[in-house]
Amino acid sequence: MDARKRKFDVVLLMGYTSSSVWGHLYPPNSVIITNMDGLEWKRSKYSKPVQQFLKYAEKLAVKHSQYYISDSRIIRSYLKDKYEVDSRYIPYGADLFSDQEREQFDKSEVLKEDYFLLMARMEPENNIETILEGFNNSSSKKALWFWEIPVTALANS
């Protein structure tokens, strides 16, 4: 309702699980962009009624959005096949500097990037244990920083 009242030009929705049901209340002249997230309705952690709701929410997100973001090629392909919509593929991750690019920075600047960052919810499908185990078994001299995304932060996004 706040976005509708303030008449935003663009509304970016990060996921559709709880926001798509309010599509009829989105600002009428705003461009709606939705990050379609994952195939939430396929996750076994949800009961059958919740899975059905999530499938419905996915359809509403497609109906009420003008542009779509996919964070995986599989999601992008799924949206194209299922709903005949094109989505922009924006993968997670970061660009790494080559040795030549690193030479252009002084040593104090380069050291700021000598770490790995893992930012995730503590969910089985995020494979955090596997990532940590792999890092511990590696010969990397870099530090690993882990930041858990609180569920409350996601609910407010």
Side-chain angles (χ1 to χ4, degrees):
M1 292 306 296
D2 182 57
R4 188 178 178 92
K5 185 175 11 175
R6 294 168 61 180
K7 301 178 183 174
F8 291 125
D9 294 330
V10 176
V11 176
L12 173 62
L13 301 170
M14 302 304 290
Y16 60 82
T17 55
S18 61
S19 58
S20 63
V21 296
W22 304 108
H24 63 286
L25 295 176
Y26 294 164
N29 297 317
S30 297
V31 173
I32 308 299
I33 304 170
T34 302
N35 177 356
M36 295 301 289
D37 203 18
L39 301 175
E40 301 298 317
W41 54 267
K42 278 189 159 185
R43 296 187 180 192
S44 61
K45 69 180 182 179
Y46 297 122
S47 67
K48 291 294 179 194
V50 171
Q51 288 176 334
Q52 288 175 326
F53 167 77
L54 292 171
K55 206 168 197 179
Y56 175 66
E58 178 185 270
K59 286 180 187 178
L60 289 176
V62 170
K63 176 182 176 182
H64 294 295
S65 301
Q66 288 84 36
Y67 296 97
Y68 313 90
I69 299 170
S70 302
D71 57 24
S72 84
R73 288 187 175 102
I74 292 170
I75 300 297
R76 186 170 195 256
S77 177
Y78 167 78
L79 292 171
K80 182 74 172 164
D81 294 344
K82 174 84 176 172
Y83 298 105
E84 298 180 358
V85 298
D86 287 319
S87 62
R88 175 63 65 112
Y89 170 58
I90 303 176
Y92 289 121
D95 295 328
L96 301 177
F97 288 117
S98 68
D99 290 338
Q100 272 184 325
E101 290 169 321
R102 281 180 170 256
E103 288 174 7
Q104 297 175 18
F105 295 97
D106 67 45
K107 189 167 178 101
S108 64
E109 287 294 312
V110 173
L111 290 177
K112 291 179 183 175
E113 297 179 16
D114 282 347
Y115 62 89
F116 295 106
L117 174 64
L118 171 59
M119 189 179 332
R121 287 177 287 162
M122 294 292 278
E123 297 280 349
E125 64 265 20
N126 288 337
N127 297 300
I128 294 168
E129 188 174 328
T130 304
I131 294 168
L132 294 175
E133 186 177 305
F135 178 79
N136 284 335
N137 292 332
S138 75
S139 59
S140 176
K141 304 282 189 246
K142 294 184 180 186
L144 175 68
W145 292 85
F146 173 65
W147 182 52
E148 179 186 0
I149 302 173
V151 174
T152 54
L154 296 171
N156 293 327
S157 63

Short mmCIF file of all heavy atoms in Angstrom, two decimals, residues 1-27:
data_model
loop_
_atom_site.label_atom_id
_atom_site.label_comp_id
_atom_site.label_asym_id
_atom_site.label_seq_id
_atom_site.Cartn_x
_atom_site.Cartn_y
_atom_site.Cartn_z
N MET A 1 0.84 -1.19 0.00
CA MET A 1 0.00 0.00 0.00
C MET A 1 0.88 1.26 0.00
O MET A 1 0.51 2.25 -0.60
CB MET A 1 -0.94 -0.01 1.21
CG MET A 1 -2.02 -1.10 1.15
SD MET A 1 -3.01 -1.11 -0.36
CE MET A 1 -3.84 0.43 -0.26
N ASP A 2 2.03 1.16 0.69
CA ASP A 2 2.94 2.30 0.72
C ASP A 2 3.46 2.60 -0.68
O ASP A 2 3.49 3.75 -1.11
CB ASP A 2 4.10 2.01 1.68
CG ASP A 2 5.05 3.19 1.79
OD1 ASP A 2 4.60 4.29 2.15
OD2 ASP A 2 6.25 3.00 1.48
N ALA A 3 3.87 1.56 -1.41
CA ALA A 3 4.36 1.75 -2.78
C ALA A 3 3.27 2.33 -3.67
O ALA A 3 3.53 3.19 -4.52
CB ALA A 3 4.86 0.43 -3.35
N ARG A 4 2.06 1.90 -3.47
CA ARG A 4 0.93 2.40 -4.26
C ARG A 4 0.70 3.89 -3.96
O ARG A 4 0.51 4.70 -4.86
CB ARG A 4 -0.32 1.58 -3.94
CG ARG A 4 -1.50 1.88 -4.82
CD ARG A 4 -2.67 0.96 -4.43
NE ARG A 4 -3.83 1.22 -5.20
CZ ARG A 4 -4.15 0.60 -6.33
NH1 ARG A 4 -3.38 -0.35 -6.80
NH2 ARG A 4 -5.24 0.91 -6.99
N LYS A 5 0.74 4.24 -2.68
CA LYS A 5 0.52 5.62 -2.26
C LYS A 5 1.63 6.54 -2.79
O LYS A 5 1.37 7.66 -3.19
CB LYS A 5 0.47 5.68 -0.74
CG LYS A 5 0.12 7.03 -0.17
CD LYS A 5 -0.05 7.07 1.34
CE LYS A 5 0.40 5.86 2.07
NZ LYS A 5 0.35 5.94 3.52
N ARG A 6 2.86 6.03 -2.79
CA ARG A 6 4.00 6.85 -3.20
C ARG A 6 4.24 6.84 -4.71
O ARG A 6 5.11 7.53 -5.20
CB ARG A 6 5.23 6.41 -2.44
CG ARG A 6 5.05 6.73 -0.95
CD ARG A 6 6.05 6.10 -0.05
NE ARG A 6 7.40 6.53 -0.35
CZ ARG A 6 8.45 6.11 0.32
NH1 ARG A 6 8.31 5.26 1.31
NH2 ARG A 6 9.65 6.52 0.01
N LYS A 7 3.47 6.02 -5.43
CA LYS A 7 3.50 6.01 -6.90
C LYS A 7 4.91 5.79 -7.46
O LYS A 7 5.38 6.54 -8.31
CB LYS A 7 2.89 7.28 -7.46
CG LYS A 7 1.45 7.49 -7.02
CD LYS A 7 0.89 8.78 -7.55
CE LYS A 7 -0.52 8.95 -7.02
NZ LYS A 7 -1.10 10.22 -7.36
N PHE A 8 5.57 4.74 -7.00
CA PHE A 8 6.91 4.43 -7.49
C PHE A 8 6.87 4.11 -8.98
O PHE A 8 5.91 3.52 -9.47
CB PHE A 8 7.50 3.23 -6.74
CG PHE A 8 7.84 3.51 -5.31
CD1 PHE A 8 7.31 2.72 -4.31
CD2 PHE A 8 8.70 4.53 -4.97
CE1 PHE A 8 7.62 2.97 -2.99
CE2 PHE A 8 9.02 4.78 -3.65
CZ PHE A 8 8.48 4.00 -2.65
N ASP A 9 7.92 4.49 -9.68
CA ASP A 9 8.04 4.15 -11.10
C ASP A 9 8.33 2.66 -11.27
O ASP A 9 7.85 2.04 -12.21
CB ASP A 9 9.18 4.94 -11.75
CG ASP A 9 8.91 6.42 -11.80
OD1 ASP A 9 7.72 6.80 -11.87
OD2 ASP A 9 9.87 7.20 -11.75
N VAL A 10 9.14 2.11 -10.37
CA VAL A 10 9.56 0.72 -10.46
C VAL A 10 9.44 0.08 -9.08
O VAL A 10 9.79 0.69 -8.08
CB VAL A 10 11.03 0.61 -10.93
CG1 VAL A 10 11.51 -0.84 -10.93
CG2 VAL A 10 11.22 1.24 -12.30
N VAL A 11 8.95 -1.16 -9.06
CA VAL A 11 8.89 -1.94 -7.82
C VAL A 11 9.64 -3.24 -8.09
O VAL A 11 9.31 -3.97 -9.02
CB VAL A 11 7.44 -2.24 -7.38
CG1 VAL A 11 7.42 -3.13 -6.16
CG2 VAL A 11 6.69 -0.94 -7.12
N LEU A 12 10.68 -3.50 -7.29
CA LEU A 12 11.46 -4.72 -7.41
C LEU A 12 11.06 -5.66 -6.29
O LEU A 12 11.21 -5.33 -5.11
CB LEU A 12 12.96 -4.42 -7.34
CG LEU A 12 13.91 -5.62 -7.29
CD1 LEU A 12 13.79 -6.46 -8.56
CD2 LEU A 12 15.34 -5.14 -7.08
N LEU A 13 10.55 -6.83 -6.64
CA LEU A 13 10.14 -7.83 -5.66
C LEU A 13 11.18 -8.95 -5.63
O LEU A 13 11.45 -9.57 -6.66
CB LEU A 13 8.76 -8.40 -6.03
CG LEU A 13 7.64 -7.37 -6.10
CD1 LEU A 13 6.39 -7.99 -6.71
CD2 LEU A 13 7.35 -6.81 -4.73
N MET A 14 11.72 -9.20 -4.48
CA MET A 14 12.75 -10.23 -4.32
C MET A 14 12.08 -11.52 -3.86
O MET A 14 12.05 -11.83 -2.68
CB MET A 14 13.82 -9.76 -3.34
CG MET A 14 14.49 -8.47 -3.76
SD MET A 14 15.24 -8.53 -5.39
CE MET A 14 16.61 -9.62 -5.11
N GLY A 15 11.52 -12.24 -4.79
CA GLY A 15 10.78 -13.46 -4.49
C GLY A 15 9.29 -13.17 -4.61
O GLY A 15 8.85 -12.02 -4.66
N TYR A 16 8.52 -14.23 -4.66
CA TYR A 16 7.09 -14.08 -4.90
C TYR A 16 6.22 -14.78 -3.87
O TYR A 16 5.00 -14.68 -3.90
CB TYR A 16 6.73 -14.61 -6.29
CG TYR A 16 7.06 -16.07 -6.47
CD1 TYR A 16 6.21 -17.07 -6.02
CD2 TYR A 16 8.25 -16.46 -7.08
CE1 TYR A 16 6.53 -18.41 -6.15
CE2 TYR A 16 8.57 -17.79 -7.23
CZ TYR A 16 7.71 -18.76 -6.76
OH TYR A 16 8.03 -20.07 -6.89
N THR A 17 6.81 -15.49 -2.93
CA THR A 17 6.02 -16.38 -2.08
C THR A 17 4.91 -15.68 -1.32
O THR A 17 3.81 -16.21 -1.20
CB THR A 17 6.92 -17.14 -1.10
OG1 THR A 17 7.70 -16.22 -0.35
CG2 THR A 17 7.85 -18.09 -1.84
N SER A 18 5.16 -14.50 -0.81
CA SER A 18 4.09 -13.83 -0.06
C SER A 18 3.63 -12.53 -0.72
O SER A 18 2.58 -12.01 -0.38
CB SER A 18 4.56 -13.53 1.37
OG SER A 18 5.68 -12.67 1.35
N SER A 19 4.38 -12.03 -1.67
CA SER A 19 4.03 -10.73 -2.26
C SER A 19 3.10 -10.82 -3.46
O SER A 19 2.33 -9.90 -3.72
CB SER A 19 5.31 -10.00 -2.68
OG SER A 19 6.05 -10.78 -3.59
N SER A 20 3.12 -11.92 -4.19
CA SER A 20 2.35 -11.98 -5.44
C SER A 20 0.84 -11.97 -5.22
O SER A 20 0.11 -11.56 -6.10
CB SER A 20 2.77 -13.20 -6.26
OG SER A 20 2.46 -14.39 -5.56
N VAL A 21 0.39 -12.41 -4.06
CA VAL A 21 -1.06 -12.41 -3.80
C VAL A 21 -1.62 -10.99 -3.71
O VAL A 21 -2.82 -10.81 -3.80
CB VAL A 21 -1.43 -13.21 -2.53
CG1 VAL A 21 -1.07 -14.67 -2.69
CG2 VAL A 21 -0.78 -12.62 -1.30
N TRP A 22 -0.74 -10.02 -3.55
CA TRP A 22 -1.17 -8.62 -3.45
C TRP A 22 -1.04 -7.90 -4.79
O TRP A 22 -1.14 -6.69 -4.86
CB TRP A 22 -0.36 -7.89 -2.38
CG TRP A 22 -0.42 -8.57 -1.06
CD1 TRP A 22 0.58 -9.27 -0.45
CD2 TRP A 22 -1.55 -8.67 -0.20
NE1 TRP A 22 0.14 -9.80 0.73
CE2 TRP A 22 -1.17 -9.44 0.92
CE3 TRP A 22 -2.85 -8.19 -0.27
CZ2 TRP A 22 -2.04 -9.73 1.96
CZ3 TRP A 22 -3.72 -8.48 0.78
CH2 TRP A 22 -3.31 -9.23 1.87
N GLY A 23 -0.84 -8.64 -5.87
CA GLY A 23 -0.61 -8.05 -7.19
C GLY A 23 -1.66 -7.04 -7.62
O GLY A 23 -1.34 -6.05 -8.26
N HIS A 24 -2.91 -7.28 -7.25
CA HIS A 24 -3.97 -6.33 -7.64
C HIS A 24 -3.83 -4.99 -6.91
O HIS A 24 -4.46 -4.01 -7.29
CB HIS A 24 -5.35 -6.94 -7.39
CG HIS A 24 -5.64 -7.24 -5.96
ND1 HIS A 24 -5.07 -8.31 -5.28
CD2 HIS A 24 -6.41 -6.59 -5.05
CE1 HIS A 24 -5.51 -8.29 -4.02
NE2 HIS A 24 -6.31 -7.27 -3.86
N LEU A 25 -2.98 -4.94 -5.87
CA LEU A 25 -2.75 -3.70 -5.13
C LEU A 25 -1.45 -3.00 -5.52
O LEU A 25 -1.16 -1.93 -4.99
CB LEU A 25 -2.73 -3.99 -3.62
CG LEU A 25 -4.04 -4.49 -3.02
CD1 LEU A 25 -3.85 -4.83 -1.56
CD2 LEU A 25 -5.14 -3.47 -3.20
N TYR A 26 -0.67 -3.60 -6.42
CA TYR A 26 0.57 -2.94 -6.84
C TYR A 26 0.21 -1.60 -7.47
O TYR A 26 -0.89 -1.43 -8.02
CB TYR A 26 1.31 -3.78 -7.88
CG TYR A 26 1.86 -5.11 -7.39
CD1 TYR A 26 2.25 -6.08 -8.30
CD2 TYR A 26 2.00 -5.41 -6.05
CE1 TYR A 26 2.77 -7.30 -7.88
CE2 TYR A 26 2.50 -6.62 -5.63
CZ TYR A 26 2.89 -7.56 -6.54
OH TYR A 26 3.39 -8.76 -6.14
N PRO A 27 1.13 -0.64 -7.40
CA PRO A 27 0.85 0.67 -8.01
C PRO A 27 0.50 0.50 -9.49
O PRO A 27 1.22 -0.17 -10.22
CB PRO A 27 2.18 1.42 -7.85
CG PRO A 27 2.88 0.74 -6.73
CD PRO A 27 2.46 -0.70 -6.79
#
